[in-house]
Amino acid sequence: MSRQYITGCTAAAEAAKLAAVEVIAAYPITPQTHIVQTLSQDVYNGVLDAVFVPVESEHSAMSATVGASITGARAFTASSSQGLALMHEVLPYAAGLRLPIVMAIANRSVASPVTIFTDHQDSLPQRETGFMQFYAESCQDIFDLILLAYKVTENKDVLLPAMVCFDGFFLSHISEPVEIPEAEEVAAFVPRTKPQYPTMDLEHPRSFNAMAFPEHFEEFQRDKFVSMAKAASVFDEAAKEFQQRFGRLHSRIETFFCEDADWILIGLGSMMGTVRTCVEELRAKGEKVGMIAIKAYRPFPVQDVVDALKNCKGVGVMDRDVGYGTGGIVYQDVSRSLYHLDKKPHLSNYILGLGGRDVTKKTVYKCFEQVKTWKDAQASDGNDVFWPDENTKVWDTWGVGE
Amino acid sequence: MTITLKSLTDERFVAPGRAGCAGCPAVMGAKMVTKVLGNNAMMVTSTGCMCVNYGYQGSTMFPYIHSLFPNAGAVISGIDAGLKAQGKREDVNLFAYCGDGGTVDIGIQALSGAVDRGHKFLYICYDNEGYMNTGGQRSGATPYKAKTTTTPVGDKQSGEPRALSHRKDMVKIMANHGIPYTATASVAYPVDFMKKVEKAISIDGPTYIHLHSPCLVGWGIAENMGVTVARAAVETCMFPLYEVENGIHYQITKNIKDKKPIAEYLKLQGRFKHLFSNEAGAEYMAEMQHDVDAGWDYLQKLASLG
Ligand SMILES: Cc1ncc(C[n+]2csc(CCOP(=O)(O)OP(=O)(O)O)c2C)c(N)n1
């Protein structure tokens, strides 16, 4: 084991390398580029015994990753933003073929207007493609989650591909200390075994992506739905083993001071680190606040979220994305989880941090203030969605929304 | 090259009972390929008639994957890379068999990238000159003035209007990537085609064959006329048979001494019927004849360079 001071992109590349991936097919895009650059250098320097396929687009990146995976090779790719959007057609294809692909996503918003900075509007819209989705809060998370993702995706009860998402620049380009195990330790955790899924193989000829008609198609979807649900306990088991081997415990949701909290903020990604700090500061002042960072977004940890929120008075859902004409995407999942409770906490939604806007402590405090005063009755006309860090100057000068 | 019709194996590599139209030349073409590549084949088809043919009722007796419509070139790249990474590439006859839409239009980027990277595979485009599986719409391979369901015969305008009159020359596009082997072929010349398949698959790099393959329904021809029409395309030099090595050495594989007028080919098909009903049609045909003559001359010049 060594402790290295590395960026999120390096941590992702390091994890893929230690997982001994055999094929990497990827295309450059900021802020993900360093991952594929690092891996190609590793291949060229002979540090990583893999085939690097420098494809001509992200659509082809996922397609070639599919091709490699279906021969039984352990395959890896990475993307962001426009690249992920271009890849969209191939994502349900990969999931439907039940291929254990792991993809790193350095989150970046999508045009227009063009931006290279972070929010979750690239990966969250891909949430129903059949990919599992994990969100990192730190560079260590990125490293760990990629290894965990291989462990879970290759489990024969799951066999669904996975995205490990982390905020562009805030994590992709910022260095933090990351503990890196030895190659043998990683190999023991994610050993290369015979593929647990049907592959293209001369000995056992099979047809892939055949046509399914209405009497069969739905069951293919149902099967993925069930496997996605199973992924939750498979992840928990894997996390236990991970903890035994490497000492760190990962949960599908990370709760912080939730047990006796009256007011809780919930969200995903690097901004939850800031929320953590605010919770500590407010707790020091005697305020009963807490926070939840969602680490596994697909499968969505419904029961864990319910358990953590059922006794509090108010919940604020922080969305680094926006659902036009409705509200944040995470908000929809959290409200769906709480709906069946007899006694529900008040719920409100915060759209923030879009296109790289900093989620500052000031913004987080504002959210907590709002959560405390919010009553659901006020939401009758759908105004439960707030923009806590609006730039009023721009709003007024440009006449935004007029 | 050893292939003769007699030397072909009787073994079947595709299960009977598939969903292609009776007499479909593209299905015949695929059968010819499998006779050469045998059970060591792995096949990729992009979305189109072949994914219905192989991925619906029957199936190949070797590994097969239907890619999506635009990504056959990329999926096959990944298969090549995956097999190589595991030391399993050696014995596999890896090939793609895709329509002209999946090749010259929506899939051209993935294919261009794949051959540019030098993956080892044979890509065969069965060219039926349109999007046939979706009901016969025009593609970048639809010939000038052909009637399709998106270039219909109307009161104001009739047939494919492409300003430059030539369709996309996919063979030269591929040859000009500088790949080791590119060729045209026709379902009407099975031995020529199969020899080319045998040659291409033995090459350690990307190879491309453009197979002319009439669509009975889309072109308006009878079930038993597919081969006749395909042969007429070669005899009129609408579709010459040749091969190109390393992007520069052109060789004509079926020499045509007495080129027939293109009307002999066009008149066999419903999609060109409108050209025979008025003077404008005659003018268009003269224009097309001029193009075909010029193309054939040019090809002969290229071939004479050796
Ligand atoms: C991205 C995408 N766009 C459109 C389609 C609809 N589509 C399916 S097959 C096809 C045409 C295929 O044409 P071609 O490749 O020439 O093959 P053919 O049908 O002639 O065999 C189209 C337009 C699709 N499946 N995917």
Side-chain angles (χ1 to χ4, degrees), chain A residues 292-320:
Chain A
I292 299 173
I294 300 171
K295 220 169 233 186
Y297 186 66
R298 283 292 178 275
F300 192 77
V302 176
Q303 195 53 49
D304 307 66
V305 167
V306 169
D307 290 344
L309 294 179
K310 64 178 181 234
N311 295 323
C312 74
K313 293 183 182 155
V315 177
V317 182
M318 300 169 77
D319 264 291
R320 207 162 195 161

Side-chain angles (χ1 to χ4, degrees), chain B residues 142-175:
Chain B
T142 298
Y144 188 50
K145 291 298 158 195
K147 173 186 152 189
T148 70
T149 53
T150 47
T151 56
V153 171
D155 292 339
K156 199 172 155 201
Q157 205 182 321
S158 292
E160 166 56 45
R162 187 184 294 110
L164 296 170
S165 82
H166 306 282
R167 63 197 199 124
K168 267 192 215 181
D169 191 340
M170 192 63 190
V171 184
K172 293 212 180 58
I173 292 172
M174 294 310 290

